[in-house]
Each structure stands twice: as C-alpha cells, then as structure tokens.
Amino acid sequence: MSERTCLSVILAAGEGTRMKSATPKVLHKIAGLEMLGHVTRALDAAGAGDKALVVGHGAEAVSRAAEGFAPGAETFIQAERLGTGHAVLAARAAIARGYDDVLVTFGDTPLISLDALAALRAGLAAGADVVVMGFRTERPTGYGRLIADGDALVAIREEKDCSDEERRITFCNGGAMAIAGNSALELLDAIGNDNAKGEYYLTDVVEIAAGRGLTVRAIEADYESALGINNRAELAGAEAIWQNRRRRAVMLDGVTMIDPQTVYFSHDTVIGRDTVIEPNVFFGPGVTVGENVTIRASSHLEEARVDEGASVGPFARLRPGAEIMEGAKIGNFVEIKKTRVEPGAKVPHLSYVGDARVGAKANLGAGTITCNYDGFSKHFTDIEPGAFIGTNSALVAPLTIGAGAYVASGSVITESVPADALAFGRARQSNRAGLGKRLRDRLAAIKARRG
C-alpha cells in the first residue's frame, strides 16, 4: 500500500457520558496507554498515512495527549454533535487535499487490528469505492446489519429498521470504513439527516454509493477489532483481552510465566527470552527486562531497567529510574528509586535505596536505608564497588561509602567513609546490672494498681 496516499480520520469527539468521568472517553487507558493511542499505533503499523483527529468534548486535553503518540496529527473541532457523518466532515479541509484513501476509524476502538486496517485499504486498491469493516457474531442484537447482494454491500441497516429476515443476519457493522479519496467528499456531502435524531450518519454512505452504481464491499475482521468502549466494565473487558494477547505473545517469544493470568503488562513492556516471571507481577509503563532474568512473585516495576541475569523480588518495588544491572540481586521487600545497582551488587531484603549508586559487588544488609530527602531537596548516596553495609544502617545523604569500606550494623552514617575503612555510627553500649529486673518490677506494680 506504500504507493497509495492515505488520510486517517479518527473520530474522538464523543462525550462518553456512560464512563461517568471528567476524563474524555478516548483518554481512558488500556495497558497504560490511552485508547486513542492504541488506535493511532495500529494506524501507524498499517502505514495509514496522515492523521486527522476530530475532537469535541475535552478537545484541549485530547489534543494535548495526542501530541505524545500522534505528534503529526492535525486536529479538527466538531463544535456540534450531529452524527458520525457530520464528524468526518469536520476534517473537510484535510480530505479535500486529495488522498487516494480516506480511512475512518473511532478513537474508542482500542483493539482494532493492523490486519483489519490493511484489509480496508486493500479493498480500495482492488477497485472498490467504499469498504466497510464487518464482524460476525451469533448474538447480533444491538448491532447494525450489513445487507449484501452477492459480493456487493448495499446498505447498513440499524436493528430497529431491520425486517425479521434482516435481523437474522449475523454479519454486523464494525464501524471503520475506507472511502476512495476521489469520491469521499461527494459521498459525505450527500448524507442527509432525515431520521428520528436529525443526525448525519456515516453508515448512509453505503446506500448512497450503491445507489450511484459505485462498488461497495465489506471485509471481515475479528470481533475485538470492532469492540467499542462505552463504560468502565467494557474498558475492563478490553484490558483483559489485551493482556491475554500480550501474555501469549510474550510466552511465544521465550518467556516463562508460572501463572500468566496474574501478570500484567504495559503497552511498552519489553521482556527478554529465558526470563521467568512468577505470579502477581505488575509492569507499569517504561520497563525493559533483559534475558535470563527472574522476576519473583508480587513485585511491581515502573520506568525501570533490569539487565541480563539479575533477579528481583519477591515483594520488590522498582520505581522510576531504577537500573538493575547484570547479575545484581534485589530481594524481598526492597524498594529502589532512581538508583543504579551495578553488576553483582546485592540488596537482599528490607531496604529502601533512592537517589544512589550501588557499586559492583557491594552488599547492603537488611534494613539499609538511604536518607535522601531533607524536606526540601534530594541528595545522592554513592556506594562504591565492594562496599559492605551492615544490617539496619541509615546513610544520610549526601555522602560516599568508599570502595571496599565496611559500615557496622546499626550505624547512622552522616559523613563519607574512605575506601577500605570501617565506620561505626552508633552510641556505645552500656549495661547496668540488675536494672532490668527493677524496671520490670516497677512496671508490674503500676499495672496492678491500675487494675
């Protein structure tokens, strides 16, 4: 299709009242990416050319969000909501530039597939003037039916207008449509609003084109490609479909998941082969995991990188800026934020490390805390290679723990420690003979008096 020019008109002006949200419908997310972003990604994968984004409700928010995933899209405002045909014509100026193909999609159909979009355009390339995306279902109630005469599509009939025979049709309207550019404006302008709602329906293009002797065809797509999202329950359903697709793809790419249904990916998660993911793991946006990594149960990762041979968890949290390098170990109940953990380093359990470097083969004992925030600014802790931090130590940034240095357990370290030094940052222990028993007896007497 690369020799054919294409304009993709994306309808994203709906209010989405059934979402019951201040957020415009098309900006609700699946796998961490706005529904509109999923649509534009599919269009890009299909080589569907320039984009015209038709917005209405929440226009500013939608346009601003689109800059992130569709930076070249041209925005058009549908000031009044007078139907889908009227919405497409909001992009008249773009359509009039003269593309070979005009592809109309909807911003609330996040699972539309590359294959469906490619088939729509292929129909135009084969000589059709209008191509409609359809899907088959054994439960067609509520969907518009595709009325065909042999290979030709002659009408899209809404269910309330169908005859009893037409209601038995299981080939239904999937929404997306491709129109030959040289006849697009003429057909769109011919749409009338002589209906109960007084609106201009894009679906009328089929009957108009067929009545003029033009070639109208339908292509068959999977049900998911036509799945429009109108409420939070449907949003969750689409999320489940997306996650199942992604889980299968990841496993087929060589990743082991012990309990796939409990693992959740984001739209941009990258997982290397021979990695093992245990149950109840959540990948937020921006995570890259290398090969031969183990992500243990109940861990949460976001905007983090885990390199080859490293292990994370169980019950670990990697926050934005965490870099876990080759062979490093992040253990149970450990939180890492904006920190580079270098090859072979270990943070085995019960620690918080933020705004820091943990040098190669350094070891942080249980309960190690970097005190990185003073209430106004964040400060850096540099733990150099081979350093050993004893259990239950607090490192008060900014400071450096030199290469090969030891920090004694239970220390509060407020000054840098030279390489190979041993640092104590705790009060001297004092034992008072018999005082423990006297204290215990006094407390017991007080408790007895209080009843």
Side-chain angles (χ1 to χ4, degrees):
M1 305 301 297
S2 58
E3 69 279 4
R4 295 178 65 88
T5 60
C6 181
L7 173 69
S8 296
V9 180
I10 309 166
L11 304 187
E15 291 185 25
T17 54
R18 282 179 281 174
M19 298 296 286
K20 293 182 169 56
S21 174
T23 300
K25 180 168 70 168
V26 298
L27 297 187
H28 284 265
K29 294 181 179 181
I30 290 174
L33 178 67
E34 292 85 351
M35 289 195 286
L36 180 58
H38 284 277
V39 175
T40 60
R41 276 191 169 189
L43 289 167
D44 287 338
D50 297 337
K51 299 180 189 68
L53 182 62
V54 179
V55 297
H57 174 69
E60 184 176 342
V62 174
S63 299
R64 185 169 56 251
E67 291 174 3
F69 44 74
E74 190 174 2
T75 300
F76 298 90
I77 304 292
Q78 185 189 17
E80 298 179 87
R81 294 190 62 210
L82 299 178
T84 49
H86 178 261
V88 176
L89 280 173
R92 177 187 295 274
I95 298 170
R97 294 186 188 122
Y99 292 86
D100 294 319
D101 304 338
V102 175
L103 186 58
V104 181
T105 58
F106 294 80
D108 62 356
T109 56
L111 302 180
I112 192 167
S113 71
L114 159 65
D115 290 343
L117 295 169
L120 286 168
R121 294 193 62 204
L124 295 183
D129 298 285
V130 178
V131 184
V132 173
M133 184 180 79
F135 68 95
R136 295 190 187 276
T137 175
E138 293 306 310
R139 292 186 288 182
T141 302
Y143 296 108
R145 309 302 204 274
L146 299 186
I147 311 300
D149 182 6
D151 291 336
L153 186 65
V154 297
I156 300 175
R157 193 95 71 227
E158 294 304 318
E159 185 174 59
K160 58 183 172 51
D161 299 321
C162 286
S163 65
D164 290 341
E165 183 179 355
E166 289 170 341
R167 284 194 179 91
R168 289 192 286 272
I169 294 172
T170 59
F171 196 24
C172 300
N173 179 30
M177 180 184 295
I179 309 172
N182 58 7
S183 56
L185 282 179
E186 184 179 349
L187 291 173
L188 291 165
D189 281 331
I191 298 173
N193 65 341
D194 186 15
N195 54 62
K197 289 188 175 181
E199 293 185 352
Y200 300 85
Y201 296 130
L202 177 64
T203 51
D204 288 351
V205 161
V206 170
E207 206 158 359
I208 293 167
R212 296 182 178 187
L214 299 178
T215 302
V216 185
R217 296 285 186 263
I219 61 100
E220 184 175 345
D222 55 47
Y223 167 73
E224 287 86 357
S225 286
L227 186 61
I229 307 304
N230 295 299
N231 56 51
R232 308 293 182 111
E234 292 173 352
L235 185 71
E239 177 83 39
I241 293 169
W242 190 97
Q243 292 292 343
N244 282 330
R245 287 179 176 178
R246 184 66 180 132
R247 290 165 187 146
R248 177 175 172 77
V250 166
M251 288 188 286
L252 292 178
D253 282 343
V255 173
T256 294
M257 287 193 278
I258 307 302
D259 188 359
Q261 292 301 118
T262 68
V263 176
Y264 290 84
F265 296 106
S266 282
H267 64 98
D268 57 354
T269 306
V270 177
I271 309 287
R273 66 191 306 177
D274 290 322
T275 283
V276 176
I277 305 173
E278 294 183 356
N280 300 309
V281 174
F282 185 91
F283 294 93
V287 175
T288 298
V289 176
E291 297 184 355
N292 292 295
V293 169
T294 300
I295 308 294
R296 299 200 182 279
S298 301
S299 295
H300 187 288
L301 297 80
E302 181 180 2
E303 293 182 28
R305 192 185 84 227
V306 184
D307 290 345
E308 182 176 357
S311 65
V312 174
F315 296 96
R317 185 182 181 194
L318 301 187
R319 290 173 57 194
E323 300 177 48
I324 314 305
M325 300 180 74
E326 185 175 350
K329 177 181 178 180
I330 305 301
N332 52 290
F333 301 102
V334 171
E335 180 177 341
I336 304 289
K337 189 271 289 187
K338 201 177 180 181
T339 293
R340 187 172 75 249
V341 181
E342 294 183 346
K346 297 180 180 180
V347 190
H349 32 216
L350 301 164
S351 293
Y352 167 70
V353 185
D355 298 283
R357 172 179 78 125
V358 180
K361 297 186 178 181
N363 189 304
L364 276 60
T368 296
I369 302 295
T370 57
C371 306
N372 55 324
Y373 185 51
D374 61 9
F376 295 94
S377 302
K378 299 291 180 70
H379 300 283
F380 187 74
T381 300
D382 191 1
I383 302 169
E384 294 187 343
F388 182 92
I389 312 299
T391 299
N392 197 35
S393 293
L395 309 180
V396 184
L399 53 74
T400 297
I401 308 297
Y406 274 71
V407 171
S409 295
S411 292
V412 177
I413 301 298
T414 58
E415 298 179 2
S416 291
V417 179
D420 295 321
L422 172 60
F424 290 85
R426 61 194 185 202
R428 182 178 296 275
Q429 182 173 319
S430 175
N431 298 328
R432 306 293 179 90
L435 192 58
K437 183 178 185 305
R438 287 165 55 191
L439 176 62
R440 185 168 58 250
D441 291 345
R442 183 162 66 96
L443 293 175
I446 292 171
K447 183 177 182 181
R449 285 197 301 272
R450 290 176 178 174

